Amino acid sequence: MHLGIDDFQYSDLYDFSRLTELATAFDRFVGENDAVLFGRFDSYRGAVRSGIGHGGLTEPEESELLISVARHLGAFLAQLFRTDPTPLKARTQRDSVVARFKKEFVSKRVAKVAPHPVPLPAGGERVISILSGGMDHDHEYAFAVAATRLLDLEREYPRGAKEISPNPQTRAAVAQLREALGQRREKIDSPEALLREAAAIHAIVDVLIEWTAARWESGAFDGWPSFRLPKPVVYDRLVPPEPHYRRRDGFKLTDNRKTPREITDQAHYCIFCHERKKDSCSRGFQEKEDKYKVNPLGIPLEGCPLDERIGEMNFLRADGDSIAGLAIVMIDNPMCPGTGHRICNDCMKSCIFQKQDPVDIPQIETGVLTDVLFLPWGFEIYSLLTRWNPLNVRRPIALPYNGKNVLVVGLGPAGYTLVHYLANEGFGVVAIDGLKIEPIEEKWLHEPIRDARVLWDELDERILAGFGGVSEYGITVRWDKNFLKVIRIALERKQNIRVYGGVRFGGTLTIEDAFDELGFDHIAIAAGAGTPTIVRMKNNLIRGIRKASDFLMALQLTGAFKKASMANLQVRLPAIVIGGGLTAIDTATELFAYYPVQVEKILERYESMSGDFGEDSVRAAYDREEQQILDEFLEHGRAIRAERERAAAAGEKPDFIPLVRGWGGVSIAYRKSMLDSPAYRLNHEEVIKSLEEGIFYAENLSPVEALADDFGHVRALLFEKQIVEDGRWKDSG
Ligand SMILES: Cc1cc2nc3c(=O)[nH]c(=O)nc-3n(C[C@H](O)[C@H](O)[C@H](O)COP(=O)(O)OP(=O)(O)OC[C@H]3O[C@@H](n4cnc5c(N)ncnc54)[C@H](O)[C@@H]3O)c2cc1C
Ligand code: SF4
């Protein structure tokens, strides 16, 4: 494949000496476009490499320099891969008009107007249609164009000013607007005519404000980002008392992420604190040396653990320069497909906005990544940036093999990130995981990928590939696990990395094997730290009780959630999940979603087997307890089927929430209040999302005993109510 810079070929991108030449070509590219900038950048990186902090610049100067060079890098990469990011930019320009409309018109003007009586003031629609040209099918954008044009006109007629002197073009535009609205044309230009003109434009603005306020009140703009204003953060009411229920059917991705317009909206909401060295999202709210401010929930506000340059990313994304934004992100977070939306939120917790909704940074980060990935050759841009990123001035190019070999144990987030860094330092890296790692299509390792969508599968059909540790087999379908494939291919394409599944360190491979037989120079253990939590209660492992992590692993790894899978993972309702952390939240939602899948599958198989062998002989295979359970599942399966049919006839998504709840539902039982729970304190959004799926939350309950039925299966749980005394949680007795 010929690339778009000089005589570079695709294969050169995997060759150290050619990458060095590419880096030189980039320097030339920047120098030719902006010699002064290149001079500054060259001195900066020289200074950084000689150990001078921030290259001798102030941090805001450093940010500004990196942003400027990133823009050139974005253009260079686009040219290199002959890809065209202009649609991204054009889309962002439109969305930026909507963002400006939100800031200047909706937020500053309309939101200040008291709720309005019906009937609507006349004229709003007409003003919008005239000023927007009346053409656009995108009503939010058309409205934004009209309102911002009107504000631009109004600006030249300041209210209450002693003197006004609008420019001739503005006056002509105002005259045209007035005429279109059927107002009388001024025949002579006079001071009185100018005053009338000012009064007219003020009146038109006022009409539009009133009209908008009334329409907003009536719900006409529901769903428009421009009318979703930041709300105050009330720390003890982060979870609304009444959830907005969301129907879920199975194990497809449950959260499709924000739209590009919503992401542009968030990027414009950011006030780019890096310009003032106040970007707490990135650096945390430092109070004294090594001490961070603590929020009212007791969470230290330490910012992004990777010190990702967030303000800079947001700044570039607000301009639609996503390639540049991604290059900025990847200075500190080259494995960014494994972070972002629904994975981490330390940055968001530390956003400068502590009293109102923070900027949704994880959405922006993932949005910047997907903007680039889904450009033609976008995967190749990401992949190249993992090996060559001139903004990463300490290690711009992955070094060639240095003769030393490292064994990395575990391919979870810690393992794969370590593999990346070690490989870029030139080590030979062999990464093993005890889990089976599915083979990957060879062509993706050798051929350029034009459209990253070929890597995407529906989550409920996707084969669990075994790569990614808990982010593959623990984390739920709230997160798009296809991102793991992006990381894996980028890593496995490097010549000095080998990945092997099904190799358990300490079993299949011992320390002695690694050092003595295989000659590794170093072993890095990244085998995870999690141990299952054992609930202290009587009968804590009788039939019907499972550890949460074990349930999630069984669900994911056996593929029990798939319609076609025969895996045996039986759950019955009512179900109780004990715990207040994020694993409890995930377990509850997945259990809730799994139950309908389970009973429907059982019903289908029962019918099919009864058709083949006769119902009596099928039933004869079960003992008394199993027959009871079977009948329960069949009855529930029929109800799920009926709901599916009803929904199909009504053209809507089936609603299983009332059914599952009617059978006892899934409850989280926590020993303290929800507000005290780690899940609420660390990531209340996940609590909200779980309640939206129909989960019950039972507070102040500490488990004491599991009571068994005649078959030794759990039939009930006994809890002790907890109370607070002298500021401590205690049994109520
Ligand atoms: C249900 C659940 C949801 C979570 N959600 C989030 C989330 O949204 N965001 C977030 O940031 N964190 C989340 N976490 C936590 C996150 O998954 C962990 O912090 C993260 O996976 C830790 O990464 P790791 O690489 O250290 O370990 P792991 O992901 O546990 O990976 C360790 C790997 O080592 C392998 N291994 C272990 N022993 C051996 C051995 N002897 N030989 C060979 N291989 C071995 C394992 O098979 C595994 O693949 C969640 C955890 C759970 C359980
Ligand atoms: S995300 Fe928040 S803290 Fe970070 S730069 Fe933007 S406004 Fe400031």
Side-chain angles (χ1 to χ4, degrees), residues 342-343 410 412-414 433-434 469-470 475 478 503-505 526-528 552 586:
R342 300 304 291 269
I343 287 288
D433 200 290
V470 173
I475 297 176
R478 65 184 143 94
V503 182
R504 201 177 73 81
F505 188 66
L552 284 173
D586 273 358

Side-chain angles (χ1 to χ4, degrees), residues 363-379:
Q363 285 270 17
I364 301 175
E365 186 195 286
T366 304
V368 163
L369 172 70
T370 49
D371 276 352
V372 178
L373 278 181
F374 298 134
L375 279 174
W377 308 111
F379 172 84

